[in-house]
Amino acid sequence: MINPLKIIVTGYIAQYPLGGVCWDYLQYATGLARMGHDVYYIEDTGQWPFNPSEAGVSPGCEFNVEYLKGLMGRFGLGDRWAYCFSHGRVWYGMPESKRREVMKSADVLLNVSGALSSLDEFAGVRRLVYIDSDPVFTQIKLAIGNDWFRRLVDSHDVHFSFGEGLPGCAPETGHTWHPTRQPIVLTDWSSSTPRGEVFSTVMNWTSYEPVVFSGKTYGQKNIEFQRFIDLPSLVAPASLELAVNAGKTEKTPRELLLHKGWQVVDPDRVCPDYLSYRDYIESSYGEWSIAKNGYVAGRSGWFSCRSACYLAAGKPVVVQDTGFSSVLPVGKGLLAFTDMEEAVAAIADVRAHYREHCIAAREIAVEYFDSTKVLGRLIDEAMRKVPVIRDENTASRDGIHAA
């Protein structure tokens, strides 16, 4: 590293202290640190934290802070994190003087998933970078006139999206959405763990309500799953397992899934934290999964961090095509399907040529998801952008808070 940068990463690690969520944001921080950058993780979502140990809600944030503290310490960032508890805006982690110095002097802020509730304290950062992890839904949210969200997104200097098919698959927003994808720190994932005999996945049945734009509905995974609910009977003796939650806006039909031959397990039991989540993936035979209906209908090119982690663990991935087949190699290691016939054929091919698919899976992770490559391109592109002139009195830079 010739010119290390001071970089702030944001996310939802403490907000949602769950296995998969952790890896979504952790690998930005650890990947950049291993490249030689001066990296800090700062989380200020403005939301009351979720506590899985107390049915979702607790009076304080002790569980969440301890989770984040333990994680940061394990991955070499023990003195480089800060978390703001929304009630009373109490900060934890770095001393206040250090935190304020970092927030004023950083070269880059990566606002992953738009997790920050406010940009007010980051005006001194040279590049404010928005990373859209929910393509199509993000662009629709902007297009339908959500004013606070528009001000938040507009206040960044450069915009990236996991929707590698943008533009063309979502409403125009007035932004240039540069393509990017999830970074995977390959050394954190091992393919040597003894494998199980089950295709698995970790999923939400529903995350939020469907949205409608120009007469078209963009929904959640529950919609797409109905098309493949009879899959287990068509691929036997292959086993398919879902680590699926109870559902947020629609209840997961657990009894129906069991009746149709799916193995259904509770993610709070089998992969509740970042270590058990990694163990669950590494010990699987491979992944089979569908995507949100909005990603499929929009042909966004979105690809999951979860699926990228399966690839890094040398596990074949069979997933519903969202348009990613135009930017990622498919056929060996990564197999895309659009209908039941293709899903059945893909599972059969993996079982018939398993070792070949395992090798190809890891090779795809190395070539397309290696954090050094993904983050190197992202930082280079972000820093090449001509800086904007910021007016401290400009409304788009001040008073931006999440609803």
Side-chain angles (χ1 to χ4, degrees):
M1 175 61 59
I2 299 175
N3 295 308
L5 301 172
K6 183 182 291 185
I7 302 176
I8 297 171
V9 174
T10 71
Y12 287 102
I13 296 175
Q15 174 66 32
Y16 299 110
L18 306 169
V21 176
C22 162
W23 291 103
D24 288 349
Y25 305 100
L26 174 68
Q27 295 181 101
Y28 279 93
T30 56
L32 289 164
R34 295 182 191 191
M35 292 168 65
H37 292 293
D38 185 16
V39 181
Y40 300 85
Y41 179 82
I42 299 179
E43 182 171 335
D44 180 11
T45 68
Q47 303 175 35
W48 198 274
F50 173 82
N51 185 340
S53 69
E54 297 187 20
V57 179
S58 63
C61 63
E62 291 78 11
F63 177 89
N64 307 76
V65 170
E66 286 302 310
Y67 184 91
L68 181 59
K69 179 181 178 181
L71 177 71
M72 294 290 110
R74 183 182 182 92
F75 287 90
L77 298 170
D79 59 349
R80 291 170 170 264
W81 64 274
Y83 168 76
C84 184
F85 181 39
S86 59
H87 183 64
R89 292 199 55 79
V90 179
W91 283 93
Y92 297 84
M94 286 185 289
E96 181 177 2
S97 59
K98 178 62 175 178
R99 173 178 55 81
R100 289 186 177 277
E101 183 273 324
V102 170
M103 293 165 71
K104 291 180 180 179
S105 64
D107 297 296
V108 184
L109 165 69
L110 299 185
N111 192 4
V112 188
S113 303
L116 277 178
S117 64
S118 171
L119 295 177
D120 294 351
E121 296 185 76
F122 298 91
V125 178
R126 289 173 57 196
R127 292 291 188 278
L128 300 178
V129 179
Y130 189 93
I131 299 178
D132 163 34
S133 59
D134 201 21
V136 177
F137 292 99
T138 292
Q139 286 69 39
I140 290 175
K141 192 174 180 180
L142 290 165
I144 62 178
N146 189 315
D147 291 340
W148 71 261
F149 187 56
R150 163 67 68 171
R151 293 196 301 271
L152 174 66
V153 175
D154 285 354
S155 295
H156 294 76
D157 299 314
V158 61
H159 304 81
F160 291 86
S161 177
F162 291 172
E164 296 193 61
L166 298 174
C169 66
E172 287 293 333
T173 66
H175 307 93
T176 298
W177 296 101
H178 303 281
T180 191
R181 57 182 66 118
Q182 280 281 4
I184 304 298
V185 180
L186 297 172
T187 55
D188 286 337
W189 297 88
S190 171
S191 57
S192 62
T193 304
R195 65 173 173 84
E197 299 299 326
V198 177
F199 285 91
S200 66
T201 195
V202 185
M203 61 176 283
N204 290 317
W205 186 251
T206 55
S207 297
Y208 44 81
E209 294 288 352
V211 297
V212 178
F213 183 78
S214 294
K216 187 173 183 178
T217 300
Y218 298 83
Q220 299 291 298
K221 287 186 176 183
N222 59 325
I223 295 176
E224 291 300 322
F225 205 98
Q226 299 302 326
R227 299 172 52 205
F228 302 96
I229 200 165
D230 291 318
L231 182 62
S233 64
L234 301 177
V235 297
S239 298
L240 304 177
E241 180 172 282
L242 307 174
V244 58
N245 66 1
K248 295 182 179 179
T249 61
E250 176 183 299
K251 185 177 179 180
T252 300
R254 182 184 178 90
E255 296 304 319
L256 176 60
L257 293 171
L258 291 170
H259 175 72
K260 292 291 186 177
W262 297 91
Q263 297 182 28
V264 182
V265 297
D266 184 356
D268 290 340
R269 181 180 62 83
V270 300
C271 54
D273 57 28
Y274 60 94
L275 292 177
S276 57
Y277 180 87
R278 182 170 62 182
D279 290 343
Y280 183 75
I281 287 177
E282 290 181 346
S283 62
S284 296
Y285 186 84
E287 182 185 28
W288 181 91
S289 187
I290 42 80
K292 289 181 183 179
N293 167 259
Y295 297 156
V296 176
R299 300 295 291 172
S300 66
W302 172 90
F303 193 82
S304 170
C305 174
R306 179 199 63 251
S307 296
C309 291
Y310 273 91
L311 292 173
K315 307 300 179 181
V317 168
V318 181
V319 285
Q320 189 176 19
D321 195 4
T322 65
F324 66 77
S325 58
S326 64
V327 293
L328 297 173
V330 296
K332 293 295 180 184
L334 172 60
L335 297 89
F337 63 85
T338 60
D339 56 29
M340 182 73 88
E341 182 179 0
E342 291 176 353
V344 171
I347 290 174
D349 195 67
V350 168
R351 297 184 72 233
H353 308 282
Y354 185 68
R355 181 59 182 165
E356 184 180 351
H357 282 289
C358 289
I359 294 172
R362 177 69 181 191
E363 290 175 345
I364 292 171
V366 170
E367 181 62 28
Y368 291 90
F369 293 95
D370 176 15
S371 59
T372 299
K373 297 177 182 177
V374 172
L375 295 173
R377 287 193 296 267
L378 187 148
I379 295 298
D380 285 347
E381 189 155 9
M383 297 308 290
R384 281 201 306 268
K385 179 176 174 60
V386 177
V388 299
I389 298 175
R390 298 176 182 164
D391 182 349
E392 293 183 357
N393 297 316
T394 300
S396 63
R397 294 287 304 169
D398 298 325
I400 302 169
H401 298 279

